[in-house]
Amino acid sequence: VIVFQMTSINGSIGYIIQNDPKPIVDCNYTFEEAISGTEIPKSIINQITLIEVEYYSFDNLLHKGQVLINKKVVKDIKNIFEFIKSSHFPVAKVIPVVKYNWSDQASMIDNNTSSFNYRKVKGYKVLSPHSYGLAIDINPLQNPHIKGKTIQPVNAKYDVKALGTIIRDSKLVSEFRNMGWQWGGLWRSSKDYQHFEKKN
């Protein structure tokens, strides 16, 4: 809600109350559409749900997107996006990875924030926490995964002064960690600045 103070000619003060501006809709999937196009075990599908979130993008306008997330952490992610919205931390877009034919690379290159993606950890045979909707990647272009000289996505740059960048002292990191989430920016062998996950 936005409140405007108005002063009339005779000096009396009044207030005009307006609802938040209507958000730009970045996606509008049904749950069935959001999980289509890939083979996902029924046992995992039963753990996942689709929620709507609002955020200010880099155009300074309010947007609405969607997150496929584990039902266990719905409250956490809603709290995070309430913080993101109220603090005007810019998020480029939030769209289920089905839009990118389940390509994590394509989603990252487009600077898309996402959670659920049924896939293995890169270079390993184990399932990623994204496969259970227990991880979320935020603004990959500003917050890449850096391991040695390899940067993912390839078009990313980590600049601590850039808008939408997550650093150790970010309030966003504190918000996640206070709810029991781990941040990839604190890993030792590599730095995955976009990545937050919650252990089962």
Side-chain angles (χ1 to χ4, degrees):
V1 176
I2 301 174
V3 179
F4 296 95
Q5 179 176 311
M6 305 294 290
T7 304
S8 67
I9 295 175
N10 62 12
S12 62
I13 296 175
Y15 297 91
I16 297 175
I17 299 176
Q18 294 184 359
N19 291 325
D20 289 339
K22 188 175 181 180
I24 296 167
V25 178
D26 288 339
C27 59
N28 190 28
Y29 290 111
T30 64
F31 179 76
E32 290 71 23
E33 290 170 338
I35 62 169
S36 65
T38 189
E39 293 186 7
I40 307 168
K42 183 70 173 176
S43 60
I44 288 183
I45 290 176
N46 290 339
Q47 299 177 46
I48 305 300
T49 189
L50 182 67
I51 65 171
E52 293 185 345
V53 293
E54 292 186 351
Y55 45 92
Y56 286 90
S57 190
F58 288 91
D59 57 8
N60 292 318
L61 299 175
L62 185 64
H63 288 241
K64 181 167 72 174
Q66 294 172 300
V67 183
L68 277 170
I69 197 77
N70 195 291
K71 294 174 183 177
K72 295 179 182 177
V73 295
V74 166
K75 184 177 179 181
D76 288 359
I77 294 303
K78 285 185 174 181
N79 287 341
I80 286 296
F81 275 92
E82 286 175 7
F83 169 77
I84 284 172
K85 180 181 175 182
S86 65
S87 64
H88 281 240
F89 178 87
V91 173
K93 56 179 71 72
V94 187
I95 302 174
V97 186
V98 65
K99 176 183 177 180
Y100 304 92
N101 296 316
W102 298 100
S103 169
D104 183 48
Q105 283 293 319
S107 177
M108 288 195 300
I109 287 170
D110 196 37
N111 207 18
N112 181 49
T113 292
S114 67
S115 175
F116 176 77
N117 190 355
Y118 190 71
R119 60 178 175 81
K120 294 177 180 177
V121 177
K122 293 180 181 67
Y124 297 88
K125 294 182 179 180
V126 298
L127 288 175
S128 163
H130 287 280
S131 296
Y132 303 97
L134 292 171
I136 188 168
D137 293 340
I138 298 175
N139 289 345
L141 289 189
Q142 286 76 33
N143 304 290
H145 182 196
I146 303 174
K147 188 171 185 178
K149 295 182 179 180
T150 302
I151 299 178
Q152 296 290 338
V154 294
N155 56 333
K157 180 181 180 182
Y158 189 62
D159 178 357
V160 297
K161 295 182 180 179
L163 290 175
T165 300
I166 303 168
I167 62 174
R168 181 186 292 265
D169 295 333
S170 294
K171 187 69 165 61
L172 182 59
V173 172
S174 298
E175 293 288 322
F176 269 109
R177 296 188 74 189
N178 287 341
M179 293 186 292
W181 290 67
Q182 298 178 7
W183 179 47
L186 296 176
W187 293 352
R188 292 183 180 180
S189 60
S190 67
K191 301 296 183 186
D192 198 353
Y193 295 107
Q194 64 194 269
H195 181 87
F196 294 89
E197 66 178 81
K198 193 165 192 179
K199 300 295 184 182
N200 271 317

